[in-house]
Amino acid sequence: MAMAALRREGRRFATPLISPNPANVFRSSLIPSEEPVLSGVRCISTQVVRNRMKSVKNIQKITKAMKMVAASKLRAIQTRAENSRGLWQPFTALLGDTPSIDVKKNVIVTISADKGLCGGINSTSVKISRAMHKLNSGPDKENKYVVLGEKAKAQLVRDSKKDIELVMTELQKNPLNYTQVSVMADDILKNVEFDALRIVYNKFQSVVSFLPTVSTVLSPEVVEREAESGGKLGDLDLYEIEGAETKAEVLQNLTEFQFSCMMYNAVLENATSEQGARMSAMDSSSRNAGDMLDRLTLTYNRTRQASITTELIEIISGASALEG
């Protein structure tokens, strides 16, 4: 009798576990765990916002540090750029600046930075260079690029790879000086045939502004031809040549020195504009990070308050149910 009673009790307790509808069993087993899942979701969302706030704070620290570094470099190089303007101004007074002169062989010297995060300074140089290339194109004309800087190289190599004659990078790896730039200018003059060298760079005006500029250096042959034809360089024959050098030799030396001086000024002006643009860009980034941090803080506080409010409602509801 006792064994029969135990078997009956066992079947009575086992019957709900072997339900013909398993979904009911699974649903009933999931119901008690709904609260931990919901609270877990609230904790995860708050943690995501907290992690995002931490990331934005770290980015803001980096941009502020980069702004300070750019400001320090700007002060160091701005004075040298302003002093270098006195090197090329006598050549402009003597030979003039003839950007509209029509020649067959044009070489566009595009000066850019090796690094980014400095606004649109590099894109501006590339756009001006492409416009110069298109403007001087023709059936009997030849246009080539000499690229200084990694950023201009990356953009021009996409659609003008066959026109790139020479590439130089890492200009600011060491502090810029006239000796370094004159060696670069000598390499360009030896490896490139030209009638006109058109230097494209950004002239520094202030921390928040720069002026895209094109300077033209003519070959000795073109200078002599223009002087003989009585064009814009006709007054060059009024000067007397002393010593044993011929006019062609004087013009050759004058062209080389003019190009090196203008290159030195252009590289310094572009480097100063780069640091000014980077300083301005990092300042804007720091402000944007601060605004984003304020919005994330507001979102975090709202999410946390909603979580606390929901938990209080659940506690009060549970207490009321127990009392009832």
Side-chain angles (χ1 to χ4, degrees):
M1 294 293 292
M3 293 299 296
L6 285 173
R7 281 196 294 269
R8 284 195 302 270
E9 289 296 321
R11 284 195 298 269
R12 186 167 67 85
F13 284 107
T15 300
L17 299 176
I18 315 174
S19 174
N21 189 4
N24 293 333
V25 178
F26 292 135
R27 186 162 55 248
S28 63
S29 64
L30 289 174
I31 288 174
S33 63
E34 284 183 357
E35 289 305 320
V37 171
L38 290 176
S39 64
V41 170
R42 286 196 296 270
C43 292
I44 291 174
S45 62
T46 307
Q47 184 67 30
V48 168
V49 177
R50 191 184 297 115
N51 291 338
R52 185 71 183 274
M53 291 171 61
K54 185 177 180 181
S55 300
V56 174
K57 286 181 180 178
N58 292 335
I59 292 173
Q60 189 179 38
K61 290 179 182 178
I62 294 172
T63 54
K64 286 183 177 180
M66 292 183 67
K67 176 187 173 182
M68 294 176 63
V69 172
S72 175
K73 291 183 178 179
L74 176 64
R75 286 193 295 269
I77 201 171
Q78 182 178 356
T79 305
R80 296 169 60 197
E82 292 173 350
N83 293 336
S84 68
R85 293 173 184 172
L87 291 174
W88 59 268
Q89 289 172 352
F91 292 104
T92 303
L94 175 63
L95 304 175
D97 194 1
T98 54
S100 60
I101 191 169
D102 189 16
V103 294
K104 291 184 178 180
K105 295 181 180 180
N106 288 284
V107 176
I108 303 170
V109 183
T110 306
I111 300 177
S112 70
D114 289 318
K115 299 179 182 178
L117 299 177
C118 52
I121 184 171
N122 298 315
S123 300
T124 302
S125 296
V126 173
K127 288 179 182 178
I128 298 297
S129 300
R130 285 173 174 163
M132 293 292 298
H133 188 281
K134 185 177 181 181
L135 183 65
N136 295 304
S137 298
D140 298 330
K141 294 183 179 180
E142 181 181 354
N143 291 288
K144 295 293 183 181
Y145 286 111
V146 172
V147 182
L148 278 68
E150 192 67 39
K151 291 299 177 179
K153 171 191 170 185
Q155 295 187 46
L156 290 174
V157 78
R158 299 172 188 169
D159 55 355
S160 306
K161 187 175 182 179
K162 59 183 179 60
D163 294 330
I164 297 178
E165 191 77 14
L166 194 62
V167 176
M168 298 180 180
T169 58
E170 298 184 356
L171 300 181
Q172 300 184 44
K173 188 174 181 179
N174 298 315
L176 290 170
N177 53 49
Y178 180 77
T179 303
Q180 177 186 354
V181 177
S182 62
V183 171
M184 291 167 32
D186 190 54
D187 290 339
I188 295 173
L189 293 174
K190 288 180 178 179
N191 298 316
V192 179
E193 295 182 2
F194 68 95
D195 291 332
L197 287 164
R198 306 186 187 274
I199 308 171
V200 180
Y201 63 98
N202 295 286
K203 186 176 181 179
F204 178 78
Q205 289 189 318
S206 67
V207 176
V208 294
S209 66
F210 55 88
L211 181 66
T213 307
V214 179
S215 299
T216 305
V217 178
L218 302 178
S219 66
E221 295 80 10
V222 175
V223 172
E224 189 171 2
R225 187 176 68 241
E226 288 291 319
E228 291 175 353
S229 62
K232 296 180 180 180
L233 302 177
D235 295 337
L236 193 62
D237 290 334
L238 299 177
Y239 294 90
E240 295 181 0
I241 300 175
E242 296 181 356
E245 293 183 342
T246 62
K247 183 179 179 180
E249 293 174 345
V250 171
L251 289 176
Q252 180 70 32
N253 296 332
L254 192 63
T255 300
E256 293 177 358
F257 188 52
Q258 177 191 13
F259 181 57
S260 62
C261 290
M262 297 187 77
M263 275 285 294
Y264 179 59
N265 173 252
V267 170
L268 286 177
E269 292 277 3
N270 197 82
T272 309
S273 301
E274 175 194 349
Q275 299 302 333
R278 181 173 288 113
M279 181 179 171
S280 178
M282 292 302 102
D283 182 58
S284 300
S285 299
S286 299
R287 289 200 306 268
N288 292 338
D291 295 340
M292 184 179 291
L293 193 59
D294 293 340
R295 292 194 298 269
L296 287 172
T297 303
L298 184 61
T299 302
Y300 173 77
N301 290 336
R302 285 178 176 175
T303 305
R304 184 170 174 270
Q305 187 64 40
S307 174
I308 294 172
T309 304
T310 305
E311 290 175 0
L312 288 175
I313 292 173
E314 290 172 354
I315 292 171
I316 294 171
S317 301
S320 301
L322 290 174
E323 290 177 358

